[in-house]
Amino acid sequence: MREAAVEWGALHRRCAVGVVAGVAVLGGAAGPVVWAGSQDLPGDRRWWLVVCGVALVAAVGASLPLLRRVSTTDYVVSCVALVLLLVLALGTVFAAAQAAYAVRTRLHEPPGVTATVTGCRTTGRELDDQNQGHDVYGCTYHWSAGGREFGEERPTGKLYPDGHETRVWLAGERMITSRPSLLGIPLWIVLALAGLAGTVRFSAFLAWKARDVGLRQ
């Protein structure tokens, strides 16, 4: 490993910087998409996705000169490591979004309204711990707020007849079918902090590895 370090040229080190920059931009652009998507926030996120695509292409393009100096296995392992770093970072964003939502809804209990359900149907199947299949149901909820009528399809625990009344909570642009759990606050906070710590430590490890093989001085 140490002997191979002297074989890296200035071009390869610039390419390595390009890969890191591309991955950083990809993570930075995907973060808001994950946050907004996890909160069902309205808005057009196509430009964020375009930035993600451009950053991904740039990172892959910058990595190609490095492929000529390393084995295919090492190249694939490096790519997998960067993907895992991205997944860890975006998982941290998701957990942080859920923690913020749980805290916000507990500090300001969302208003509850009566809703009726229609069109209940089986939407799929899921496996439990014993690998036994169970049907997944969904219904269309109808409710009114501020003089306006709303409707949205959400999962349900069972099939209800049309006109069945239930209670839903309105948190900003979101409609939720159950009161936010108090236990969810520490759970999501712990997951967010653990994800942040893991992202920082894994980033530091990859930076050390790049220096160890001579790509980073």
Side-chain angles (χ1 to χ4, degrees):
M1 298 293 285
R2 292 295 182 182
E3 295 178 357
V6 298
E7 298 179 3
W8 298 111
L11 172 64
H12 300 104
R13 294 191 175 93
R14 286 196 292 268
C15 288
V17 172
V19 172
V20 172
V23 172
V25 172
L26 174 57
V33 176
V34 171
W35 185 290
S38 69
Q39 303 301 299
D40 293 336
L41 297 178
D44 187 356
R45 292 182 278 275
R46 285 178 296 180
W47 286 111
W48 287 109
L49 296 176
V50 169
V51 173
C52 289
V54 172
L56 177 61
V57 171
V60 172
S63 71
L64 294 180
L66 303 177
L67 176 59
R68 302 187 183 99
R69 287 295 185 95
V70 299
S71 67
T72 302
T73 299
D74 289 340
Y75 180 81
V76 171
V77 169
S78 299
C79 291
V80 170
L82 291 175
V83 169
L84 290 177
L85 178 62
L86 272 174
V87 171
L88 187 58
L90 295 179
T92 302
V93 172
F94 178 83
Q98 297 302 317
Y101 170 74
V103 171
R104 185 170 63 251
T105 53
R106 269 297 168 178
L107 291 177
H108 307 285
E109 178 76 10
V113 297
T114 300
T116 59
V117 297
T118 61
C120 293
R121 60 190 178 88
T122 301
T123 58
R125 290 180 67 81
E126 63 180 4
L127 299 176
D128 59 18
D129 294 338
Q130 287 74 39
N131 289 325
Q132 295 180 343
H134 299 278
D135 289 335
V136 177
Y137 308 117
C139 297
T140 301
Y141 288 77
H142 304 271
W143 72 95
S144 61
R148 297 175 56 192
E149 299 293 328
F150 298 88
E152 184 175 343
E153 183 174 327
R154 282 298 179 89
T156 58
K158 62 179 181 179
L159 297 176
Y160 294 107
D162 285 358
H164 172 78
E165 289 192 351
T166 184
R167 191 163 185 81
V168 299
W169 286 262
L170 309 178
E173 299 291 337
R174 299 185 67 185
M175 184 274 285
I176 52 180
T177 57
S178 61
R179 181 176 280 106
S181 171
L182 183 61
L183 295 177
I185 296 177
L187 173 63
W188 287 115
I189 290 177
V190 168
L191 289 176
L193 292 176
L196 178 61
T199 301
V200 171
R201 289 182 64 86
F202 195 29
S203 298
F205 169 76
L206 293 181
W208 169 81
K209 194 65 179 176
R211 175 177 290 180
D212 186 57
V213 299
L215 268 176
R216 179 172 173 265
Q217 295 179 332

